[in-house]
């Protein structure tokens, strides 16, 4: 865990130190950086899926997890709608 935090801090420090050093090909570097970040995110998502798929306990609990996720999302959405409507009424909103 210490190594992960160390790499995060090294990345922050290097970005801070290099922020003023801009080159003429900054747009090209930005485009290449965006592509690398996208590929790394896809790789991390794939590896997360492999890790979850290899865990028997998670696979066996998927129906229960799915129902709980559905209930939480419906309750959260309805709660937000009700509170937004109440705030609209309290604030004196007109149509």
């Amino acid at each position: 865990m210490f190594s992960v935090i160390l790499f995060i801090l090294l990345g922050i420090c290097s970005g801070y130190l290099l922020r003023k050093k801009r080159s003429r090909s900054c747009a090209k570097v930005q485009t290449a950086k965006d592509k690398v970040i996208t590929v790394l995110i896809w790789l991390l998502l794939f590896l997360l899926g492999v890790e979850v798929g290899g865990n028997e306990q998670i696979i066996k609990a998927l129906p229960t997890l799915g129902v709980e996720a559905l209930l939480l999302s419906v309750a959260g959405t309805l709660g937000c709608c009700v509170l937004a409507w109440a705030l609209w009424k309290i604030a004196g909103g007109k149509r």
Side-chain angles (χ1 to χ4, degrees), residues 6-26:
L6 179 65
F7 276 103
I8 291 172
L9 290 175
L10 285 174
I12 291 171
C13 291
S14 63
Y16 180 77
L17 293 173
L18 298 174
R19 74 183 187 279
K20 291 185 179 180
K21 296 183 180 183
R22 303 277 175 153
S23 64
R24 292 183 184 189
S25 61
C26 187

Side-chain angles (χ1 to χ4, degrees), residues 35-87:
K35 288 180 183 179
V36 169
I37 288 173
T38 301
V39 169
L40 289 175
I41 289 172
W42 280 106
L43 179 66
L44 286 172
L45 287 172
F46 175 75
L47 292 174
L48 179 65
V50 168
E51 186 69 28
V52 169
N55 191 334
E56 279 188 45
Q57 290 178 329
I58 294 176
I59 297 299
K60 288 180 182 176
L62 273 180
T64 305
L65 292 172
V67 170
E68 288 177 8
L70 178 67
L71 291 174
L72 284 171
S73 62
V74 168
T77 303
L78 287 175
C80 286
C81 290
V82 168
L83 290 175
W85 175 80
L87 181 61

